[in-house]
């Protein structure tokens, strides 16, 4: 009952904050001081470049978008878990395997948390990992060419939410179940939740040299909802922390039934010890099915393999490895400060922000005084692990990041604000409204050992009256605040793709220096590559026809093809011979039921085309490549099935 | 004198000339460059020459390729001879031989520049009549030395690092000749 009152109160606050801002008519000139000053802070002159890259999750778009900061300009949307006809992703023969899963081809997912790869606890600019929530997966995006290079499905999981946070040297990328399920999954009554349902916390190993991922082991956990995570750093290097709610083990009306206990938990896992235990042969091999998809830069092609075993360690077997730390009410965020000493919980329904102490936690473990055990997992004493509580922070603390001056910034969903507090005395020092209902926030390097504390960006859940309306669905939005002074200053609103959840940012130089301009044609090992115009050809193999085609400004070779028949499966293998930056060629043919191709310099892409009727069909370049781009076109003749038209093509 | 002659060895490693081409589509930092060595023509960056030849097909210019320029085969021999003669003359220690070497060097340089001009003329004027872009009375000859505008491209043509070694070699030889005069 108390909870319902609390929520009602929160509702009143939300309503009143809306009506207040409604009066302001949208402009925030007063809130940001001199508007001109804010404008000059985010203004990037034509041709000048932004200072930071911002990697923003696309939420239910399944993609990740790239922005520049401080301008908030959108540079690129990287297709990850969802098809993208613009780039041919998920449509070309080469990229279809990227979206294969144990359930077959899946064209969509819900992507929440980008996390940059790290070296010594600092973003190293190599990769961004991002989670697929609905069909549990982890993806690795390569920042040399801003493409998805690997997707690993997670067995024994449902709702991969607490993912893909990484350890200090990206030794591991973690993944945890948001929705506990029967493991192994079986046909049981949902009423058996409390006895049969379990969660898993997966540890995905990253190979330092190649970046390749492999599922090292899974911890079988009580059936709670595992929500977010962050790795320890410095003194807490060996530990990974997860937040979890629904310690009530409710299986219906979780909004009420999973909100009863005063405290839920942060899970502390000594991954280093778990690793040693696994190396000694602990755990059992379980038969499962999960897809592992990798993209090869030399063949410009993805392949998908189904793997069938995983090492599972029960929490009871993992003595001395897993501990529960109580934390106030339904935590979301689980964030570790740059020193590695403090672990901050973000209890959505909590009235304080708890700051847990790593050194106290170790003492509590060593003294062995546990409140109780849950399924063999010791529950530590809350007070024994507590460094302090931030009092009266606001309503609905969700997620905390850190600057380089000893301050923490916590997003407050319900009271729609960012609260800045000191890591010295856990006192609130400033608060700034967000428009509206901030979810995650991000400071460049703000979850690492070395934050670049210049800006904090709010990723909001509601936009309401901030932009020109676009019907019932409004743009999603982020907001940029200056945090170099004592007071946070709102500088900029900018729209985002899909729903922005978590994001990461880093100085542009870290990524810029490795940016790829072309794929060397000499290194192209695609099985259907054509490296010279004189080698272009058309080959019939039964009803499969392979067209070995090249593009270079401003023509296709060949550009007249005859002998295709209705019922053929025609594979257009288009190699872009260009070796010049920013000169992709596109390929589109009438009647293709998939998408276009967008072929980068030195790359080969394949479009499958199955013409349905006889006639002459045009194809053309879709990317305005040159002055004679409009002339970059060709014809393919389609004859009726069974006709005797020979395969011919024009040669240069 | 011997040092001056051996400076020419640098020509086997360093380009004599550089032509840089800027355009709206190839701004500073991303401009195209051609380097001319005694034995080859290359791009300033790995794909510059290929990209330039690709663009030149629009105006019908013949592709610039090392194999199409026979001078690049015998220029290393000439430079080798100049180095050999320089060392030999230095060993013989006759003052008038220094003058002869200097004259040979300058003559080779002059012939080289004339030849370079002729190649520039040929590439700039001998255009495919079926080219997409044809402009009456327009030729595409880059400047021998200096800067000129060729359609959307600004072409800069200047000596490159190898030529500085030729210059330094010539100066040293001249100095040797001058100083030996004062001694005698």
């Amino acid at each position: 009952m108390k909870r319902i009152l609390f929520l009602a109160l929160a509702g009143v606050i939300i309503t009143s904050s809306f009506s207040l801002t409604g009066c302001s008519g949208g402009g925030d000139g007063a809130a940001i001081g001199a508007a001109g000053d804010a404008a000059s802070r985010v203004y990037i002159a034509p041709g000048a470049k932004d200072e930071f890259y911002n990697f923003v999750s696309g939420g239910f778009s399944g993609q990740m978008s790239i922005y520049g900061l401080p301008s908030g300009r959108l540079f690129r949307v990287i297709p990850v878990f969802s098809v993208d006809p613009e780039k041919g992703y998920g449509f070309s023969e080469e990229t279809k395997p990227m979206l294969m899963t144990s359930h077959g081809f899946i064209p969509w997912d819900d992507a929440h948390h980008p996390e940059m790869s790290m070296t010594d606890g600092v973003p190293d600019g190599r990769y961004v990992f991002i989670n697929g929530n609905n069909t549990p997966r982890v993806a690795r995006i390569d920042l040399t060419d801003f493409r998805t290079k690997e997707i690993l499905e997670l067995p024994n999981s449902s709702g991969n939410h607490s993912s893909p946070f990484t350890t200090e040297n990206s030794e591991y990328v973690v993944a945890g179940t948001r929705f506990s399920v029967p493991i192994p999954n079986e046909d049981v009554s949902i009423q058996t939740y409390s006895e049969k349902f379990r969660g898993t916390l997966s540890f995905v190993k990253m190979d330092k040299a190649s970046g390749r991922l492999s599922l090292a082991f899974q911890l079988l956990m009580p059936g709670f909802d595992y929500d977010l995570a962050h790795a320890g750093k410095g003194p807490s290097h060996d530990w990974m922390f997860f937040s979890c709610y629904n310690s009530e083990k409710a299986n219906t009306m979780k909004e009420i039934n999973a909100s009863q206990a005063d405290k839920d938990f942060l899970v502390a896992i000594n991954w280093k010890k778990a690793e040693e235990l696994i190396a000694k042969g602990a755990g059992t091999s379980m038969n499962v099915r999960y897809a592992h998809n990798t993209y090869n830069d030399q063949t410009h092609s993805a392949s998908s393999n189904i793997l069938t075993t995983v090492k599972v360690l029960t929490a009871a077997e993992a003595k001395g490895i897993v501990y529960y730390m109580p934390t106030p009410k339904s935590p979301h965020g689980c964030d570790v400060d740059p020193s590695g000493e403090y672990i901050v919980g973000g209890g959505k329904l909590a009235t304080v922000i708890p700051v847990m102490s790593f050194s106290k936690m170790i003492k509590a473990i060593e003294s062995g005084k546990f409140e109780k055990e849950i399924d063999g997992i010791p529950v530590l004493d809350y007070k024994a692990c507590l460094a302090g509580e931030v009092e009266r922070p606001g309503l609905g603390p969700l997620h905390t990041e850190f600057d380089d001056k000893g301050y923490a910034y916590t997003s407050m969903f319900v009271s729609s604000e960012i609260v800045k507090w000191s890591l010295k005395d856990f006192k609130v020092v400033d608060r700034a409204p967000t428009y509206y209902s901030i979810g995650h926030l991000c400071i460049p390097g703000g979850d690492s050992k070395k934050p670049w504390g210049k800006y904090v960006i709010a990723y909001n859940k509601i936009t309401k009256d901030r932009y020109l309306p676009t019907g019932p669905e409004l743009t999603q939005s982020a907001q940029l605040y200056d945090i170099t002074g004592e007071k946070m200053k709102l500088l900029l609103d900018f729209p985002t793709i899909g729903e922005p959840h978590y994001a990461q940012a880093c100085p542009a130089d870290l990524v810029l220096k490795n940016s790829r301009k072309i794929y060397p044609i000499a290194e192209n090992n695609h099985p259907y590559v054509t490296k010279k115009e004189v080698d272009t050809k058309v080959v019939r193999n039964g009803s499969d026809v392979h067209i070995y085609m090249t593009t270079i400004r401003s023509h296709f070779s060949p550009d007249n093809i005859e002998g295709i028949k209705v019922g053929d499966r025609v594979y257009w293998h288009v190699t872009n011979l260009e070796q010049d930056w920013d000169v992709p060629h596109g390929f589109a043919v009438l009647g293709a039921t998939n998408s276009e191709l967008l072929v980068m310099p030195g790359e080969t892409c394949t479009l499958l085309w199955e013409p349905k009727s006889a006639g002459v069909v045009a194809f053309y370049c879709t990317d305005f490549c040159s002055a004679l781009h409009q002339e970059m076109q060709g014809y393919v003749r389609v004859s009726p099935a069974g006709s005797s038209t020979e395969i011919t093509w024009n040669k240069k | 004198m011997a040092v001056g002659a051996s400076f020419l060895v640098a020509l086997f490693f360093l380009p004599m000339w550089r032509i840089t081409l800027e355009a709206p589509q190839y701004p500073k930092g991303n401009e195209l460059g051609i380097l001319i060595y005694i034995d080859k023509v290359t791009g300033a960056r790995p794909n510059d020459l290929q990209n330039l030849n690709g663009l030149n097909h629009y105006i019908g210019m013949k592709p610039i390729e090392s194999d199409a320029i026979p001078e690049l085969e015998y220029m290393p021999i000439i430079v080798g001879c100049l180095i050999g003669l320089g060392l030999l003359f230095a060993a013989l220690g006759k003052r008038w031989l220094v003058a002869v070497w200097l004259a040979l060097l300058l003559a080779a340089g002059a012939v080289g520049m004339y030849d370079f001009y002729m190649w520039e003329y040929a590439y700039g004027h001998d255009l495919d009549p079926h080219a997409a872009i044809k402009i009456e009375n327009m030729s595409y000859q880059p400047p021998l030395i200096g800067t000129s505008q060729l359609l959307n491209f600004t072409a800069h043509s200047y000596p490159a690092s190898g030529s500085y070694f030729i210059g330094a070699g010539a100066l040293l030889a001249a100095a040797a000749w001058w100083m030996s005069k004062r001694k005698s």
Side-chain angles (χ1 to χ4, degrees), chain A residues 471-492:
Chain A
E473 193 184 4
L474 299 163
T475 184
Q476 303 278 340
S477 161
Q479 295 186 287
L480 181 80
Y481 297 77
D482 176 353
I483 54 168
T484 54
E486 270 179 35
K487 295 271 171 201
M488 293 177 272
K489 258 193 191 172
L490 175 59
L491 300 178
L492 180 72

Side-chain angles (χ1 to χ4, degrees), chain A residues 174-231:
Chain A
V174 300
T177 45
R178 173 172 165 200
F179 315 121
S180 284
V181 283
I183 293 176
N185 214 335
E186 56 181 334
D187 173 24
V188 294
S189 164
I190 299 163
Q191 301 311 316
T192 63
Y193 187 105
S194 60
E195 71 221 63
K196 293 226 162 129
F197 287 36
R198 295 281 181 276
T200 55
L201 302 177
S202 301
F203 284 76
V204 175
K205 182 105 191 132
M206 188 194 84
D207 179 74
K208 193 77 187 165
S210 65
R212 269 177 82 106
L213 304 175
S214 57
L215 180 52
F217 61 93
Q218 294 186 311
L219 277 171
L220 197 59
M221 300 288 291
F224 305 157
D225 290 30
Y226 295 88
D227 202 35
L228 281 169
H230 261 109

Side-chain angles (χ1 to χ4, degrees), chain A residues 9 75 84 111 122 238 298 310 342 450 495 549 575-576 615 639:
Chain A
L9 177 70
F75 299 147
D84 183 355
V122 180
D238 295 355
Q298 272 72 50
V310 61
Y342 298 126
K450 189 185 154 193
M549 177 178 263
T575 300
N576 184 354
S639 302

Side-chain angles (χ1 to χ4, degrees), chain A residues 43-50 73:
Chain A
Y43 180 70
I44 300 294
K49 294 188 180 70
D50 279 288
R73 294 179 298 181

Side-chain angles (χ1 to χ4, degrees), chain A residues 237-256:
Chain A
H237 170 83
D238 295 355
W239 294 78
M240 178 60 79
F241 304 93
F242 289 86
S243 58
C244 63
Y245 57 94
N246 192 25
S247 49
E248 297 87 347
K249 291 192 179 177
N251 57 282
T252 176
M253 284 299 284
K254 287 196 185 185
E255 65 167 325
I256 299 297

Side-chain angles (χ1 to χ4, degrees), chain A residues 337 342 355 387-388 405-408 421-427 429:
Chain A
D337 85 308
Y342 298 126
V355 184
K405 295 184 268 311
Y407 293 101
W421 50 276
S422 166
L423 282 165
K424 273 203 199 93
D425 54 11
F426 311 129
K427 292 266 192 304
V429 297

